[in-house]
Amino acid sequence: MPAEKITRMANQIARFMESKPHEEGVSLTASHINDFWEPRMRRHLFAILDAGGEGLRPLVIDAAPNIRRPEPVA
């Protein structure tokens, strides 16, 4: 999946959650990604985050420690 699509999808979630208090938005963003994104999508997200998170909204970056990092592909 292209980085632009992962970034856009993560930012859409964050944009919606930004209407909540910050800590709740962080928690809900991470929960949504953990619950609905398959490991392959989360791997792509972490590749973006590990490269500096360019283009990601701050709420996605703040939620990252609470997102389950999938096992690397062998």
Side-chain angles (χ1 to χ4, degrees), residues 9-37 42 45 56-64 66-68:
M9 291 171 64
N11 285 342
Q12 286 174 332
I13 296 164
R15 198 172 294 114
F16 179 78
M17 299 304 177
E18 287 169 356
S19 65
K20 310 282 186 193
H22 184 74
E23 288 306 314
E24 184 179 3
V26 166
S27 176
L28 290 171
T29 298
S31 292
H32 182 90
I33 292 172
N34 285 329
D35 291 345
F36 297 107
W37 285 27
R42 287 184 280 122
L45 176 61
L56 292 172
R57 296 181 76 81
L59 197 62
V60 177
I61 294 168
D62 291 348
N66 300 318
I67 298 171
R68 288 188 307 270

